[in-house]
């Protein structure tokens, strides 16, 4: 029975990549709290992913852990197969897994470049492509959601803000921006909604060194004055894939405490 609360996700199944930590973890928890069954993807050791599963189950939800390196085509396809075998057809996919390998341009190796593009951009392509195929194969399930499927990419403010010494990362997120918009345009007529979230500085493992080295410097870039929590993003993802946001198609929701307002210009630049 479908809930009358448009923000609920009861009866739906979701897959979140890179969900054993940080924003992916918080998104998996938020999706589960809204009623979805969630496949928690991890790349290496299952321990952290199993902890996320246990937390979701403790709160009365349903979750499973599924292994895959999102940059590997065969592993992505197998992950979707396992998730659907165990949870049923997927309604929601969040492509979240991402890495940074920072270096000045003269020191950035081809391996550093390829690693970031492979996980962040090629991984988004592989996960996005498989999500669309699975949504199509599933068909509409009446009373569950207005959309046939919902796909969310985890981008970054750096899809628009240039980032010196991080050209591989910024290029990957700029790529996700037009991957998302082009794909949204391609599949919207089938009832599939493709969108993105663009977090600013969120306290996770990906930036722990930057935050330890220069927390006050980062805060100066955030007009709202605080570094974000993973839950700030998780809540938005759960809402964005719900029927409460059913008319949002091909958009990036910036959640950055105002970082993309170019705060350096506040005092006349
Ligand atoms: P995180 O390091 O906690 O999460 C990244 C996750 O991706 C980890 O669980 C990691 O195991 C997983 N992962 C890495 N490579 C993988 C692969 N090949 N296959 C499967 N999983 C893989 O950091 P986070 O901040 O939560 O990052 C999540 C996403 O959020 C990333 O795409 C990142 O670019 C984006 N983001 C983060 C911030 C921030 O400030 N933390 C800001 C903007 C965007």
């Amino acid at each position: 029975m479908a809930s009358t609360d448009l923000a609920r996700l009861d009866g739906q199944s979701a897959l979140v990549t890179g969900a054993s930590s940080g924003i992916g973890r918080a998104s998996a928890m938020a999706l589960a709290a809204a009623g979805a069954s969630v496949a928690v993807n991890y790349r290496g050791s299952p321990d952290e992913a199993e902890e996320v599963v246990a937390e979701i189950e403790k709160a009365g939800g349903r979750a499973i852990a599924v292994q895959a390196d999102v940059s590997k085509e065969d592993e992505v396809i197998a992950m979707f197969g396992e998730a659907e075998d165990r949870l049923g057809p997927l309604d929601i996919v969040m492509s979240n897994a991402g890495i940074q390998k920072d270096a000045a341009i003269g020191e950035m190796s081809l391996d550093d470049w390829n690693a970031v593009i492979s996980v962040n951009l090629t991984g988004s392509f592989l996960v996005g492509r498989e999500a669309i195929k699975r949504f199509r194969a599933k068909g509409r399930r009446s009373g569950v959601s207005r959309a046939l499927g919902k796909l969310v990419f985890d981008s970054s403010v750096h899809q628009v803000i240039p980032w010196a010494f991080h050209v591989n990362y910024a290029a990957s997120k700029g790529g996700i921006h037009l991957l998302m918009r082009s794909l949204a345009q391609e599949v919207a007529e089938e009832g599939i909604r493709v969108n993105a979230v663009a977090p600013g500085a969120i306290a996770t493992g990906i930036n722990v060194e930057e935050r330890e080295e220069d927390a006050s410097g980062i805060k100066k870039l955030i007009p709202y004055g605080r570094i974000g929590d993973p839950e700030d993003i998780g809540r938005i993802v759960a809402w964005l894939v719900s029927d409460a946001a059913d008319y949002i198609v091909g958009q990036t929701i910036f959640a950055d405490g105002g970082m993309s307002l170019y705060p350096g210009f506040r005092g006349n630049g």
Side-chain angles (χ1 to χ4, degrees):
M1 184 70 175
S3 168
T4 50
D5 179 350
L6 292 179
R8 292 290 306 172
L9 303 171
D10 302 292
Q12 300 190 47
S13 298
L15 167 70
V16 181
T17 66
S20 57
S21 64
I23 293 169
R25 179 183 194 281
S27 300
M29 304 280 298
L31 292 167
S37 302
V38 185
V40 174
N41 160 252
Y42 64 95
R43 180 187 43 183
S45 151
D47 296 356
E48 279 184 301
E50 292 294 357
E51 278 173 32
V52 179
V53 168
E55 269 200 60
I56 289 173
E57 287 174 346
K58 202 169 136 200
R62 181 163 179 228
I64 60 167
V66 287
Q67 192 279 331
D69 177 337
V70 298
S71 67
K72 306 258 169 65
E73 185 174 29
D74 55 340
E75 293 190 24
V76 168
I77 293 168
M79 168 181 70
F80 273 81
E82 185 186 351
E84 292 207 325
D85 284 349
R86 295 173 64 191
L87 294 182
L90 289 166
D91 307 284
I92 298 160
V93 172
M94 180 186 187
S95 174
N96 163 79
I99 58 170
Q100 281 182 224
K101 282 192 181 292
D102 313 326
I105 191 67
E107 275 88 55
M108 187 174 285
S109 68
L110 181 58
D111 282 350
D112 293 337
W113 172 267
N114 282 338
V116 170
I117 297 297
S118 296
V119 176
N120 298 11
L121 186 54
T122 307
S124 294
F125 158 69
L126 291 171
V127 169
R129 184 184 66 178
E130 198 58 23
I132 301 298
K133 286 182 174 181
R134 300 277 171 168
F135 295 155
R136 285 174 174 161
K138 170 185 61 136
R140 284 194 184 269
R141 297 199 296 141
S142 68
V144 174
S145 173
R146 286 190 82 172
L148 172 63
K150 286 79 59 108
L151 170 62
V152 179
F153 292 103
D154 194 347
S155 183
S156 164
V157 287
H158 296 295
Q159 75 170 35
V160 294
I161 302 178
W163 204 11
F165 307 97
H166 301 74
V167 298
N168 48 359
Y169 184 83
S172 75
K173 297 299 184 177
I176 287 174
H177 182 209
L178 273 177
L179 165 64
M180 182 280 287
R181 282 166 56 81
S182 303
L183 184 53
Q185 193 190 63
E186 187 168 329
V187 300
E189 67 177 27
E190 298 173 60
I192 299 174
R193 292 197 296 116
V194 183
N195 290 291
V197 284
I202 309 297
T204 70
I206 209 169
N207 52 21
V208 69
E209 283 169 27
E210 288 156 39
R211 282 184 289 113
E212 275 169 12
E213 277 166 23
D214 192 16
S216 62
I218 294 175
K219 275 201 189 153
K220 280 194 197 124
L221 299 173
I222 308 170
Y224 199 50
R226 74 168 170 90
I227 290 175
D229 301 316
E231 292 73 23
D232 285 316
I233 308 302
R235 279 190 297 273
I236 292 166
V237 170
W239 169 79
L240 187 56
V241 299
S242 77
D243 278 4
D246 187 59
Y247 213 47
I248 299 184
V249 175
Q251 301 301 314
T252 300
I253 309 294
F254 283 78
D256 64 356
M259 189 178 248
S260 51
L261 297 173
Y262 296 92
F265 280 84
R266 189 161 184 263
N268 278 334

